[in-house]
Amino acid sequence: MRFNYLKRAVSLAVVLSLTASIVAACGSQNNTSDSTASSSQSSTSSVASKDPFGKYSPAIDISFVRGIDDDLAANILPKTPGETLEDNRWTKLYQEELGINVKYDWTVKGNEQSDAYTQKINVTLASGELPDVVLVNPSQLKQLVDSDMVEDMTQYYNDYASEDFKKIMTEEGTGNIDSVMFDGKMMAIPEPVSTNESAQYLWIRNDWLKKLNLQVPKTMDDVLKISEAFTTKDPDGNGKNDTIGLPITKDLYSGCMGTEGFFAGYHAYPNMWIEDSSGKIAWGSTLPETKVALQKLADMYKNGQLDKEFGVKDGGKVAETVAAGKVGMDYGAQWNPMYPLISNFNNDNNADWTAYPIVSNDDKKVMVPLKFNQTRIFAVKKGYEHPEALVKLFNEHVEKNWGKTADFNKYYMPVENGGVGVWKFSPVCPAPVFKNLEAFVAIDDARKSNDFSKLKDEPKIIQGNIDAYAKGDKSQWGWEKIYGKDGAFRNMVEYKKNDQLLKEKFVGAPTVTMAEKKTTLEKMEKEVFIKIIMGAAPISDFDKFVSDWNKLGGADMTKEVNEWYDSVKSK
């Protein structure tokens, strides 16, 4: 199972404007390592047919750059002795079965959304000295495409992508492919985004509910009452007025300690492109429903139910408040028990966090916002001799984990290595977008029949973690809270059954105005919203924000988005 921990937005600044001081700073970073990998290709390398799994003979080299996240550095590598980032079961597999030698021009400590990776990749892009394959975000891809620095991958994807890989790419619609389309050309291979994983739940401490004799919320009024009680009725029992109703961060939108689930309760969907009442695509943050929800948050802040300093606190800082047991509600994704909720449980084993469905303020069905957030895009350097090799790596990763010749225990989560995610050794890591939900359903079916013998691969490993928790291993608490009988995914089953999932409407490559104005507009939005919530600005400033947003590029952005949407609908 994968968890997308706090995803920090990658800077959209134009890389060519980087200063020399940044270049110097990145050059002296201690946490980077440069390899001497050569990406030179043998002119005699060839594959006779368009076989998705055809082997190169002689073998070819393909160079990447990548970040090394904390899980890989502190967990996976220590538990897989004898394997390194450059020499491991995945690089050997690619050599032996495909004739592809994976190299790294450089690596940097931190995942691909970290500041360290962002700085390093920006320097690489600015220099023009690209590896054979470069991992970028949407705005960086647009810069590369505009500069004619990357290959058109349309034909290579059509000719070489395996059926299983193509299925994964389109399982939730055409968004993954649309995100890398420029003028009808597929200019990169994206790692499939699983939008259903961003679904919001309302995590609540059941022990606090019981202590204060409160019921599970059915409406937003119930949520507000619980927030008030958690703030004023000393749920932690320490005799001090030191708890709050709801944790949120200065970023406002997040997979944990965010506001999206709260806004959705008022049929507001900020920070994503949705259909408005006229059927046109609009930026949800500018619609009237958002104003209503902002006023509710402002009332909560005024009544002491929000942290007085949330406007300057990032996710890590707010997580400390959660760990300290000062909050009993949290809007967030299914993985929240792994972060930040387990830190609270570790400090207080009575903390009984359970995920409930988000609720509405009226009798209208609440929709669950699914933002399309593409962050891992693989572009091939213009002139690289074997662009199709990238597609083959994607094919092989899918095949060895979920295909007919899959060896899940070896290539995904080997039991003998403590079940760590060795899939991360691969430079590309595509996965079925509904695999976590499907694992829950398999486990739940086994629970209902009381027969776990048919579980295999990931569901079997997850059930093993649940069993370990039942036997006293508290480190496995998160698995129980996500996949157990009352786990978070039971709500996703209902969300799907009730047709409550609201997918973002715009999933294309950045438009011209987005590339120029999106970052500025997002910054302005958060600043205005935080001021309104904190009472530093009147709610009427929302109307001024909408006007300013449109004048400063929002109207042009909206026009471009609707033109894109009309072109997609007409296909």
Side-chain angles (χ1 to χ4, degrees):
M1 172 180 184
R2 315 167 188 220
F3 297 104
N4 292 322
Y5 296 101
L6 293 172
K7 284 189 171 182
R8 287 177 290 179
V10 180
S11 168
L12 302 183
V14 179
V15 295
L16 296 179
S17 67
L18 289 170
T19 63
S21 62
I22 291 179
V23 176
C26 292
S28 63
Q29 295 244 350
N30 292 327
N31 57 6
T32 61
S33 62
D34 292 305
S35 76
T36 55
S38 168
S39 61
S40 61
Q41 305 300 314
S42 167
S43 60
T44 59
S45 298
S46 64
V47 174
S49 66
K50 294 173 180 177
D51 180 356
F53 300 97
K55 184 176 182 178
Y56 294 95
S57 180
I60 65 167
D61 290 347
I62 187 167
S63 62
F64 291 81
V65 294
R66 71 173 292 172
I68 303 174
D69 66 18
D70 291 341
D71 183 37
L72 190 57
N75 192 29
I76 299 170
L77 282 166
K79 291 180 180 177
T80 50
E83 298 188 60
T84 65
L85 192 64
E86 295 80 13
D87 184 11
N88 55 69
R89 65 195 70 199
W90 276 104
T91 56
K92 286 184 172 69
L93 177 73
Y94 292 143
Q95 289 169 343
E96 293 166 2
E97 296 206 357
L98 297 178
I100 298 175
N101 300 317
V102 172
K103 310 286 185 179
Y104 292 104
D105 279 6
W106 54 258
T107 63
V108 64
K109 189 175 180 182
N111 67 22
E112 287 77 14
Q113 284 82 54
S114 68
D115 292 341
Y117 183 86
T118 301
Q119 286 187 343
K120 188 77 171 174
I121 195 65
N122 281 345
V123 171
T124 297
L125 297 181
S127 73
E129 297 297 317
L130 304 183
D132 299 326
V133 179
V134 59
L135 174 56
V136 292
N137 64 32
S139 64
Q140 292 163 339
L141 175 63
K142 178 170 173 52
Q143 293 161 10
L144 290 172
V145 171
D146 289 346
S147 302
D148 194 29
M149 294 175 69
V150 292
E151 290 284 343
D152 174 2
M153 296 297 291
T154 311
Q155 204 59 45
Y156 300 112
Y157 177 79
N158 291 339
D159 289 348
Y160 287 91
S162 68
E163 290 307 308
D164 284 347
F165 178 39
K166 285 181 178 178
K167 179 185 175 185
I168 288 173
M169 284 281 273
T170 56
E171 209 166 359
E172 281 190 308
T174 61
N176 287 306
I177 293 174
D178 289 341
S179 69
V180 294
M181 295 294 286
F182 292 81
D183 297 325
K185 299 176 182 177
M186 189 175 179
M187 297 305 295
I189 306 295
E191 206 164 274
V193 170
S194 178
T195 61
N196 69 90
E197 289 295 323
S198 67
Q200 293 263 308
Y201 308 92
L202 179 53
W203 292 92
I204 305 179
R205 281 189 63 165
N206 283 333
D207 54 314
W208 281 15
L209 285 181
K210 291 173 184 175
K211 181 175 181 180
L212 301 180
N213 198 27
L214 297 167
Q215 300 301 310
V216 173
K218 301 296 183 186
T219 67
M220 284 305 295
D221 281 346
D222 294 338
V223 171
L224 297 179
K225 288 173 185 174
I226 292 171
S227 173
E228 181 183 17
F230 282 2
T231 304
T232 63
K233 294 189 176 180
D234 193 25
D236 60 353
N238 68 352
K240 298 178 181 178
N241 183 23
D242 59 355
T243 54
I244 59 173
L246 194 67
I248 63 175
T249 77
K250 67 181 180 66
D251 296 313
L252 293 182
Y253 315 120
S254 175
C256 64
M257 304 168 294
T259 59
E260 294 95 322
F262 183 93
F263 274 100
Y266 296 93
H267 313 296
Y269 306 98
N271 197 41
M272 61 186 284
W273 294 96
I274 64 171
E275 268 190 20
D276 63 16
S277 57
S278 70
K280 291 289 187 181
I281 307 305
W283 186 240
S285 305
T286 65
L287 299 180
E289 293 83 358
T290 298
K291 182 179 182 180
V292 174
L294 277 173
Q295 180 63 66
K296 295 294 183 181
L297 286 170
D299 292 343
M300 291 173 69
Y301 183 87
K302 184 178 179 181
N303 293 327
Q305 296 172 31
L306 305 181
D307 186 334
K308 290 295 183 187
E309 298 178 344
F310 86 86
V312 295
K313 289 185 176 181
D314 61 16
K317 225 24 179 176
V318 179
E320 293 176 8
T321 306
V322 176
K326 300 306 176 186
V327 298
M329 283 199 299
D330 164 45
Y331 279 100
Q334 52 88 0
W335 46 262
N336 277 209
M338 300 298 188
Y339 179 89
L341 304 182
I342 195 169
S343 59
N344 180 206
F345 174 76
N346 288 338
N347 291 328
D348 178 4
N349 287 172
N350 293 315
D352 180 19
W353 288 94
T354 300
Y356 294 99
I358 63 173
V359 295
S360 173
N361 72 316
D362 54 27
D363 57 4
K364 183 181 172 186
K365 179 168 65 176
V366 64
M367 299 299 289
V368 183
L370 301 182
K371 184 171 177 62
F372 185 83
N373 190 23
Q374 179 60 268
T375 60
R376 287 176 59 85
I377 297 171
F378 293 84
V380 177
K381 179 177 68 176
K382 189 91 168 181
Y384 175 60
E385 190 174 351
H386 297 285
E388 75 284 348
L390 173 64
V391 181
K392 292 188 176 192
L393 294 179
F394 273 91
N395 295 341
E396 189 76 3
H397 194 272
V398 171
E399 174 63 24
K400 287 305 175 186
N401 287 322
W402 298 282
K404 293 182 178 65
T405 64
D407 188 347
F408 191 91
N409 188 68
K410 180 175 182 180
Y411 293 109
Y412 203 81
M413 296 171 72
V415 174
E416 59 273 21
N417 296 96
V420 295
V422 297
W423 51 269
K424 285 189 178 181
F425 278 135
S426 173
V428 298
C429 304
V433 295
F434 286 109
K435 74 180 189 67
N436 291 339
L437 175 60
E438 289 165 358
F440 171 81
V441 171
I443 292 168
D444 210 40
D445 287 346
R447 261 193 298 265
K448 291 171 183 174
S449 65
N450 198 29
D451 179 8
F452 295 89
S453 63
K454 294 179 182 177
L455 292 180
K456 63 177 184 177
D457 297 337
E458 194 161 19
K460 182 178 180 179
I461 291 171
I462 293 170
Q463 182 57 42
N465 293 336
I466 293 173
D467 291 340
Y469 173 70
K471 293 174 183 175
D473 183 356
K474 290 183 170 60
S475 69
Q476 305 298 333
W477 177 80
W479 297 98
E480 169 66 29
K481 290 298 176 180
I482 299 167
Y483 290 94
K485 180 174 175 290
D486 295 319
F489 275 114
R490 83 190 191 285
N491 300 298
M492 174 56 82
V493 172
E494 293 301 309
Y495 284 165
K496 285 194 74 178
K497 187 169 76 175
N498 298 332
D499 194 26
Q500 288 179 261
L501 300 177
L502 180 68
K503 295 180 183 178
E504 183 161 23
K505 291 296 183 180
F506 177 75
V507 294
T511 68
V512 172
T513 307
M514 277 182 195
E516 297 173 358
K517 307 288 181 65
K518 186 167 179 278
T519 304
T520 302
L521 292 175
E522 286 178 337
K523 182 181 178 185
M524 178 181 74
E525 175 180 320
K526 289 179 183 178
E527 287 176 351
V528 173
F529 285 11
I530 287 172
K531 283 181 179 178
I532 289 174
I533 294 170
M534 297 180 75
I539 191 66
S540 58
D541 271 19
F542 176 82
D543 302 315
K544 183 178 184 300
F545 153 73
V546 174
S547 176
D548 290 345
W549 185 88
N550 280 301
K551 289 175 185 173
L552 296 172
D556 291 334
M557 214 156 56
T558 303
K559 181 173 180 287
E560 293 164 353
V561 165
N562 277 282
E563 288 172 351
W564 172 89
Y565 191 60
D566 289 341
S567 72
V568 172
K569 283 195 300 185
S570 64
K571 288 180 181 178

